[in-house]
């Protein structure tokens, strides 16, 4: 049939009889139809398509005993930087009267890796800062507002939500900087494109906004980039390599003080040829696999000392042998007779042992429930601190030189120096001033030596008199053939005020005793705290009551610390001990890479493990609280390698560490490399973080051939239990 058609562009007359022309659709109707079609397509697509590979984590659990979110905390905002930088401005925190206002760092700048640590002594004034009460411990659901605040870290300082503690002002002088800091190469700035709603408050051209709209993705650091090409470290120190101690590429020399490579370390440390898994505790304190720690200097050292011997595949440590005759137990008993008030394991809980040798002193005190942290000299090329760690004894690497040790003020109940050959009286007794800083008021300093040097004896006595330390006991033991002296630091300032000669002088207010990261030792004397609101004015409760006793100087933080304790106790008991696939009988050396109040370590206090609590230098200073509870730890900047030997730890715990460092560090992937260095093969890592971190992190760990044992995710948070293998490139 032929249908007559009208002129082009008009309907034919025949069709006009069948239908009437509809009016054209409006713009709103068209948009509505387009949105409806788009939503329908999205619903159909998500229902029939599998989850994206980039978002799916292997061996995922469908349930978990305790949720993965962090303990209930109040927001911890920092003063916003004055520049733009693409981050939303935050309300400035109130600054206590005892601290000057911190100068803001321009937004978008990278914190210098050698700056003094941003730490401060928590006191009553800090505790009274505005914060909300913590939620009930049983409520482990994430606080949506807090999660939103954590999404975008502040460029000046990562947002810590665990403590309402003040961040002190930077030191007025530059003495705390590392040598030649001004000439050091500055890290490249991360290019961050502005995200929606994060302007600097200025009016923006609408046309420019339209041009910027399509490209609003953040340029992510190398940790989140696909593909990784691993290679061995070329250092001659081989499988003993400590990046911030060894000279680059030369294991025959070591820095006298910590000095890190200019570029982040992204190479992998090789494994000993005959490496084997350590024996379980307590067997490992008496024997270790020689191949795990062997090198020529250690072999020569073994031949000249009877407290350790090489027998077959093992390095043996006879329990009755020590560097002093009679053994470590007899040595400790002789000290008890000299000063009964010490009361190891109750009154005296935390001890620093300077000059790590056999670690027998720490082992003898473990039997009394006291924990001893051995400080191995950085220039010790025999690597006795590595032997101590292999035996399961707490140890770290450091040096008493021109800089402060990475410990808070008033941290240790007692400090021991047994035949450590340190010239305490030299340079005006400057090293003793650092001991005075880290020793608790009323704490004990124990020094012993086999041979008496008259000049040294007189010099030390003069230095102790200048510090007003009291010599409470002296004894020359016939069995050990060693002379022991015990001094006590004054608990109050009354003795300081009676000094006829004010040398050393009192430290000025700006010479903060809390700063300990790349900070030079000052020739001045810090006063003892006064008043119940100051930490250190009273001696802590006896152990183990000390662990769950929250002193009055914490103020409003008492509730927060108690909530943190209960949270981690529930997580460890309900999830970590049974739900992650970890054989805890093979776990001895543990590190909490982002400790807050020490809740994770406190939850493991009854287990046969010890925990190194690491408080990042960019976070609020909570390390004094950790020591107050009878636990140990150090300050550290995770943008740099840690001061310890390879394969030091059996388990690493990283709770929301990467999300706080992904912008601050030049190459966040170097943190993963450092975890690979300090974790032994067969060791475990528990990583809790946002899914946007865990998804690409799993790819990185798989490229290192780590085994992903278990994962769990809920909402935007997740947890991974991973195990390091023996793979090397």
């Amino acid at each position: 049939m032929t249908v007559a058609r009208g002129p082009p562009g008009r309907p034919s007359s025949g069709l006009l009889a069948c239908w009437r022309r509809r009016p054209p659709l409006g713009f709103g109707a068209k948009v509505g139809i387009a949105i409806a079609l788009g939503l329908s397509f999205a619903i159909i697509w998500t229902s029939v398509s599998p989850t994206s590979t980039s978002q799916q984590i292997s061996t995922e659990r469908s349930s978990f005993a305790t949720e993965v979110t962090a303990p209930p905390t109040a927001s911890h905002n920092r003063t916003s930087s004055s520049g733009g930088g693409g981050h939303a401005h935050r309300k400035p925190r109130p600054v206590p009267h005892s601290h000057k206002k911190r100068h803001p760092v321009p937004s978008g700048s990278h914190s210098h890796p050698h700056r003094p640590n941003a730490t401060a002594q928590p006191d009553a004034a800090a505790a009274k800062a505005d914060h909300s009460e913590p939620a009930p411990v049983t409520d482990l659901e994430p606080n949506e507002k807090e999660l939103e605040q954590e999404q975008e870290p502040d460029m000046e300082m990562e947002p810590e939500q665990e403590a309402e503690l003040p961040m002190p002002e930077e030191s007025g002088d530059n003495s705390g900087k590392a040598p030649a800091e001004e000439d050091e190469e500055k890290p490249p700035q991360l290019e961050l494109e502005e995200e929606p709603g994060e302007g600097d408050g200025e009016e923006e051209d609408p046309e420019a906004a339209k041009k910027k709209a399509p490209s609003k993705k953040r340029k992510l650091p190398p940790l989140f980039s696909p593909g990784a090409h691993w290679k061995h470290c070329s250092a001659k120190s081989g499988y003993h390599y400590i990046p911030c101690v060894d000279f680059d590429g030369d294991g025959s020399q070591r820095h006298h003080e910590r000095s890190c490579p200019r570029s982040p370390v992204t190479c992998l440390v090789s494994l000993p040829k005959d490496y084997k898994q350590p024996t379980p505790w307590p067997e490992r304190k008496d024997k270790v696999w020689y191949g795990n720690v062997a090198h020529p200097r250690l072999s020569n050292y073994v031949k000249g000392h009877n407290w350790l011997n090489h027998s077959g595949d093992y390095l043996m440590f006879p329990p009755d042998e020590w560097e002093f005759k009679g053994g470590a137990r007899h040595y400790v008993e002789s000290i008890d007779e000299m000063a009964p008030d010490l009361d190891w394991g109750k009154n005296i809980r935390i001890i620093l042992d300077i000059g790590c040798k056999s670690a027998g002193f720490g082992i003898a005190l473990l039997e009394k429930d006291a924990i001893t942290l051995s400080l191995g000299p950085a220039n010790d090329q025999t690597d006795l601190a590595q032997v101590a760690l292999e035996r399961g004894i707490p140890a770290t690497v450091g040096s008493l030189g021109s800089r402060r040790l990475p410990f808070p003020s008033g941290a240790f109940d007692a400090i021991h120096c047994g035949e450590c050959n340190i010239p305490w009286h030299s340079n005006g007794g400057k090293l003793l001033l650092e001991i005075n800083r880290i020793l608790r008021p009323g704490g004990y300093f124990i020094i012993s030596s086999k041979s008496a040097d008259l000049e040294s004896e007189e010099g030390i006595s003069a230095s102790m008199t200048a510090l007003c330390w009291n010599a409470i006991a002296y004894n020359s033991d016939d069995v050990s053939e060693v002379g022991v002296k015990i001094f006590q630091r004054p608990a109050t300032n009354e003795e300081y005020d009676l000094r006829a000669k004010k040398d050393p002088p009192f430290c000025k207010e700006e010479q903060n005793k809390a700063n300990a990261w790349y900070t030079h030792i000052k020739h001045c004397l810090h006063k003892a705290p006064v008043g119940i609101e100051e930490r250190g004015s009273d001696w802590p409760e006896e152990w183990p009551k000390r662990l769950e006793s929250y002193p009055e100087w914490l103020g409003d933080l008492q509730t927060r610390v108690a909530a943190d304790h209960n949270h981690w106790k529930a997580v460890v008991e309900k999830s970590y001990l049974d739900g992650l696939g970890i054989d805890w009988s093979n776990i001895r050396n543990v590190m909490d890479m982002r400790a807050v109040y020490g809740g994770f370590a406190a939850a493991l206090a009854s287990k046969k493990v010890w925990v190194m609590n690491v408080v990042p230098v960019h976070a609020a200073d909570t390390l004094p609280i950790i020591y107050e509870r009878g636990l140990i730890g150090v300050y550290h900047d995770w943008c740099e390698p840690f001061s310890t030997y390879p394969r030091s730890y059996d388990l690493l715990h990283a709770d929301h560490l990467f999300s706080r460092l992904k912008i601050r560090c030049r190459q966040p992937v170097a943190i993963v490399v450092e975890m690979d260095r300090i974790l032994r093969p067969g060791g475990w890592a528990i990583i809790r973080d946002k899914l946007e971190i865990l998804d690409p992190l799993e790819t990185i760990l798989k490229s290192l051939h780590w085994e992903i044992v278990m994962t769990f995710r809920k909402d935007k948070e997740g947890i991974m239990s991973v195990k390091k293998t023996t793979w090397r490139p």
Side-chain angles (χ1 to χ4, degrees), residues 191-489:
E191 298 179 4
L192 303 178
E193 296 188 6
E194 195 167 310
E195 295 193 355
E198 292 190 340
D200 56 7
E202 298 179 358
E203 293 292 335
E204 188 175 17
D205 184 9
E207 294 298 329
K210 289 182 180 180
K211 293 179 180 179
K212 291 175 62 177
S215 58
K216 293 184 178 179
K217 294 183 179 180
R218 181 177 297 274
K219 293 183 179 179
L220 296 175
L223 171 61
F224 310 102
S225 300
H229 304 284
W230 306 113
K231 62 179 181 180
H232 279 294
C233 295
S234 59
K236 292 182 181 179
S237 50
Y239 47 80
H240 301 285
Y241 180 46
I242 308 177
C244 295
V245 173
D246 294 316
F247 281 114
D248 292 343
D250 187 355
S252 62
Q253 289 183 309
R254 287 183 170 173
H255 296 288
H256 292 291
E257 292 188 306
R258 180 180 174 86
S259 180
C260 297
R262 292 178 178 269
S263 300
V265 178
T266 56
C267 60
L268 303 181
V269 176
S270 58
L271 291 179
K273 182 180 179 181
D274 300 324
Y275 184 83
K276 298 179 181 178
Q277 299 294 327
T279 55
W281 181 267
E283 184 182 0
R284 67 188 288 182
K285 69 181 175 65
D286 296 324
K287 65 177 183 179
V288 300
W289 294 104
Y290 182 75
N292 291 2
V293 295
H295 63 84
R297 289 187 181 86
L298 179 61
S299 177
N300 294 332
Y301 186 88
V302 170
K303 296 175 182 178
H305 296 80
N306 60 357
W307 58 267
L308 74 171
N309 58 75
H310 184 191
S311 177
D313 293 335
Y314 289 100
L315 192 62
M316 309 291 292
F317 305 91
D320 295 330
E321 297 291 341
W322 195 40
E323 54 256 40
F324 297 154
K325 293 181 179 179
R329 290 189 183 91
H330 171 79
Y331 178 77
V332 171
E333 289 172 359
S334 66
I335 294 176
D336 290 340
E337 294 176 358
M338 295 170 61
D341 291 342
L342 287 175
D343 199 6
W344 303 109
K346 293 183 178 180
N347 186 39
I348 303 297
R349 161 67 179 172
I350 307 172
I351 303 97
L352 178 67
D353 187 16
I354 300 175
C356 176
K357 290 186 178 179
S358 68
F361 181 70
I363 292 176
L365 291 180
L366 276 177
E367 299 173 358
K368 296 178 176 289
D369 210 11
I371 185 167
T372 303
L373 177 61
S374 296
L375 180 67
N379 58 356
D380 174 26
Q381 298 183 15
T382 311
D383 297 332
L384 294 179
Q386 184 182 30
V387 176
L389 286 164
E390 189 72 15
R391 297 176 67 186
I393 309 301
T396 187
V397 178
S399 61
L400 268 170
S402 64
R403 299 192 199 128
R404 291 176 175 177
L405 295 170
F407 307 119
S409 62
F412 295 96
D413 305 332
I415 298 177
H416 174 255
C417 173
E419 194 74 3
C420 54
N421 299 321
I422 294 178
W424 295 108
H425 62 287
S426 64
N427 198 13
K430 195 172 183 178
L431 298 182
L432 282 175
L433 290 172
E434 175 62 2
I435 299 300
N436 184 80
R437 185 187 72 87
I438 63 176
L439 183 63
R440 179 180 294 277
Y444 300 89
F445 181 59
I446 306 167
I447 185 170
S448 60
S449 60
K450 293 180 180 178
S451 57
D453 181 357
L454 182 60
E455 182 180 354
S456 298
E457 291 283 342
E458 292 178 350
I460 292 175
S461 297
S463 298
M464 294 298 186
T465 301
L467 294 177
C468 299
W469 285 16
N470 300 314
I472 63 173
Y474 173 76
N475 181 44
S476 181
D477 186 66
D478 294 334
V479 176
S480 61
E481 298 180 357
V482 65
V484 181
K485 283 187 176 182
I486 303 177
F487 299 89
Q488 186 176 25
R489 179 188 171 184

Side-chain angles (χ1 to χ4, degrees), residues 82-133:
S82 58
H87 289 279
H89 294 285
R90 295 178 171 89
K91 290 179 64 178
R93 296 184 60 231
V95 181
H97 67 276
S98 60
H99 296 278
K100 297 179 181 178
K101 185 175 181 180
R102 181 182 177 88
H103 297 288
V105 179
S107 182
S109 66
H110 185 291
S111 300
H112 197 281
H114 289 172
R115 67 170 178 84
N117 68 313
T119 57
Q121 177 177 329
D123 52 21
K128 292 179 181 178
D130 292 336
H131 65 276
S132 60
E133 290 295 326

